[in-house]
Amino acid sequence: MDRDALDALNATLNGQQVTYLGAAHFGPKLNIERFRLANGLDVLLCEDHSAPVVAYHTWFRVGSRHEREGKTGLAHLFEHLMFNETENLPKGEFDRRLEEAGADTNASTWLDWTHYNIAVPSDQLPLVIRLEAERMGALVLKEPQVESEKEVVANERRYRVDDDVEGAINEVLWATAYTKHPYHHPTIGWMADIEGFTTEDCRAFYEAYYAPNNACVVVVGDVAPTELLKQMVDAYAGLAPFELPVEDSWPEPAQTSERRVELTQPTSTQKVAVAYHAPALGDYDHPALAVLNEVLSGGRASRLYNRLITEMELASEVRTFLGPFRDPGLIEVYASGRDSVRAEQLLEVIDEELEKLSREPVPTAELERACARMELGLLGGLENVDGRASTIGFYETVLGRPGAAFERLEAMQRVTPSDLLRAARRYLRPEQRSVVLVRPSRDGQEAA
């Protein structure tokens, strides 16, 4: 958008000035233009007229890391509450209007953020802008809505954690690895906290965090910049900025000895989950550890898959995961044993492979294969406007750099075997890991 067009737009906005914050590259062909409305709402626009569709994603800079003890799960509860009644829309009307418009909608919450996404035919964008502005500023929070959604979330927790073996393992692993930092508690919240939420808790959370100056709207697709900004000013200008709470979280102390937990679950085979403390997404070492993660479990030719499943036939499943978080996260290793294989046998093979990464350079061909898989994964996620908007919003919210996906791809392509040795020796150390050994309960054995 050129300066003359923005000046002409601002001349029509009755003092609600739109500020241009600059542009960022998004891959070789696309650009992201950054704007800020007078109330602090950030707007990131990526024009793409290849198809008559548009993705409209709203990212709030609040996740489970912002919750205090005794009130965990509030950020996730809002995923549900935000689809309820507003001052001008009775319950169900938000969804009904979007469905009539042919929209695809969803929402998600994690440690650092909450995300609402809508994709529609581009001629329906004005409707989406009005609806999103309405629920950002005029959500109705009364006891019936809160009680109803609390029950929905409690049932979700029972399904995903309490009655799900892998969900339960993951929750115990994170709660063991973190003792001070709020990444200790699960995003869905502890059950006692969910059951104890009051309507006033929800109002306080909404009034603290659902402010235009705590949000970023990412718009990708077939859209005209001037018309988009005019419609957004019309819809959002009435929402005042809030004084945002100061984040009050403790950094996680360095772990100096292994923590080991045994867990009994209704499963027919033993399992093991291991978590090593890992760097934050923006850390220099994160790309190297991401490549190591791919070397370990990226596809059937990866080291852990090859050893545990193909060669030794000890496991039915193995995977690893490196957290993409604002603060230092975890790199996790999970394996599910076959038949009577003990969790300790799985852990022994995992240890051998991790120790090998600290001792021997990864061959160049294996490094190149891992990087190629990661590039394919990134580019595959950018095939449509929804994927591009998610990627832009995620990197903007976590790192403050909306085009950082491609910076990260370049960083991974620069990773050398020396970088992998350094990352393995720094992070994959036994004294700074947590281990969960999973034994079958009597019910699990009978089920087998």
Side-chain angles (χ1 to χ4, degrees):
M1 187 177 193
D2 63 42
R3 183 57 187 258
D4 289 344
L6 185 61
D7 289 344
L9 172 66
N10 278 328
T12 69
L13 296 179
N14 299 318
Q16 295 292 333
Q17 299 289 291
V18 175
T19 304
Y20 182 63
L21 301 179
H25 292 298
F26 189 64
K29 295 182 179 178
L30 297 174
N31 281 314
I32 305 163
E33 292 194 285
R34 307 180 62 142
F35 303 90
R36 181 166 292 163
L37 307 192
N39 58 13
L41 178 66
D42 287 331
V43 181
L44 271 59
L45 169 61
C46 181
E47 283 186 76
D48 178 1
H49 301 284
S50 57
V53 293
V54 61
Y56 191 96
H57 291 204
T58 305
W59 290 76
F60 288 95
R61 301 181 186 97
V62 59
S64 55
R65 63 178 293 142
H66 300 91
E67 297 160 350
R68 60 187 173 87
E69 194 172 340
K71 300 296 178 185
T72 64
L74 271 171
H76 172 257
L77 179 66
F78 267 82
E79 247 188 74
H80 297 257
L81 291 170
M82 286 288 280
F83 290 88
N84 263 281
E85 180 182 353
T86 70
E87 290 177 6
N88 298 303
L89 296 170
K91 181 176 173 57
E93 189 67 8
F94 184 93
D95 284 333
R96 188 189 67 77
R97 293 194 185 188
L98 285 176
E99 286 172 7
E100 283 184 352
D104 184 16
T105 67
N106 210 334
S108 56
T109 312
W110 213 0
L111 306 178
D112 300 322
W113 45 259
T114 304
H115 169 215
Y116 299 90
N117 53 294
I118 301 174
V120 286
S122 49
D123 62 351
Q124 297 298 319
L125 181 59
L127 170 68
V128 174
I129 294 172
R130 291 196 303 273
L131 292 177
E132 284 291 35
E134 169 77 9
R135 67 175 176 175
M136 182 185 289
L139 187 68
V140 171
L141 292 167
K142 294 180 181 175
E143 187 170 348
Q145 291 98 331
V146 171
E147 290 301 316
S148 172
E149 296 306 332
K150 278 170 55 179
E151 186 57 33
V152 171
V153 172
N155 285 332
E156 182 181 342
R157 186 190 153 84
R158 292 184 188 101
Y159 176 74
R160 291 189 175 183
V161 181
D162 300 342
D163 296 334
D164 182 84
V165 173
E166 292 187 21
I169 294 170
N170 187 259
E171 186 171 278
V172 170
L173 186 67
W174 279 72
T176 304
Y178 286 95
T179 59
K180 291 285 189 182
H181 192 280
Y183 288 171
H184 167 85
H185 63 254
T187 296
I188 198 168
W190 303 114
M191 183 61 93
D193 294 351
I194 296 169
E195 292 173 341
F197 291 146
T198 65
T199 305
E200 188 51 43
D201 291 331
C202 296
R203 286 201 192 102
F205 192 87
Y206 184 65
E207 291 169 3
Y209 295 108
Y210 276 68
N213 54 320
N214 197 39
C216 167
V217 174
V218 180
V219 184
V220 178
D222 181 30
V223 57
T226 301
E227 192 59 26
L228 167 73
L229 292 170
K230 185 175 185 308
Q231 291 168 0
M232 292 197 67
V233 170
D234 288 345
Y236 287 93
L239 307 184
F242 296 171
E243 182 174 348
L244 300 172
V246 174
E247 188 170 341
D248 183 21
S249 63
W250 288 91
E252 183 63 23
Q255 187 172 336
T256 56
S257 62
E258 181 189 285
R259 299 168 189 154
R260 188 168 291 208
V261 176
E262 290 207 15
L263 191 63
T264 301
Q265 286 288 302
T267 173
S268 58
T269 64
Q270 298 200 23
K271 308 177 193 307
V272 65
V274 191
Y276 295 81
H277 288 279
L281 180 65
D283 191 282
Y284 177 80
D285 282 336
H286 201 278
L289 209 55
V291 174
L292 279 183
N293 182 65
E294 190 70 24
V295 167
L296 284 169
S297 71
R300 292 175 178 241
S302 63
R303 295 190 176 193
L304 287 177
Y305 190 98
N306 195 41
R307 282 291 306 283
L308 284 168
I309 295 180
T310 306
E311 285 185 6
M312 305 180 74
E313 298 184 348
L314 292 176
S316 59
E317 180 184 3
V318 62
R319 63 174 182 270
T320 61
F321 174 74
L322 174 63
F325 305 120
R326 203 173 80 196
D327 284 350
L330 301 174
I331 180 167
E332 303 168 52
V333 184
Y334 170 87
S336 179
R338 296 183 59 177
D339 305 323
S340 59
V341 171
R342 288 182 57 78
E344 284 83 351
Q345 291 175 266
L346 301 172
L347 184 59
E348 183 178 346
V349 178
I350 291 168
D351 284 346
E352 288 173 4
E353 289 301 322
L354 298 189
E355 193 274 334
K356 187 177 177 183
L357 286 174
S358 299
R359 177 168 37 88
E360 300 175 5
V362 172
T364 301
E366 194 175 2
L367 169 59
E368 290 175 348
R369 172 188 167 278
C371 289
R373 282 181 55 89
M374 296 169 78
E375 180 177 1
L376 183 64
L378 169 66
L379 298 181
L382 302 179
E383 287 181 345
N384 56 44
V385 291
D386 232 13
R388 291 195 282 278
S390 289
T391 302
I392 291 169
F394 168 77
Y395 281 102
E396 167 65 17
T397 306
V398 178
L399 296 182
R401 304 199 304 277
F406 288 92
E407 299 171 17
R408 182 171 168 79
L409 180 60
E410 291 172 1
M412 289 188 292
Q413 290 168 336
R414 290 194 298 270
V415 167
T416 67
S418 297
D419 294 328
L420 298 183
L421 277 175
R422 184 192 69 248
R425 291 167 182 171
R426 178 173 293 175
Y427 297 102
L428 303 179
R429 304 200 320 263
E431 69 272 19
Q432 60 105 50
R433 75 178 184 182
S434 300
V435 179
V436 178
L437 303 170
V438 183
R439 315 296 190 195
S441 64
R442 181 179 298 275
D443 290 344
Q445 289 173 325
E446 288 172 352

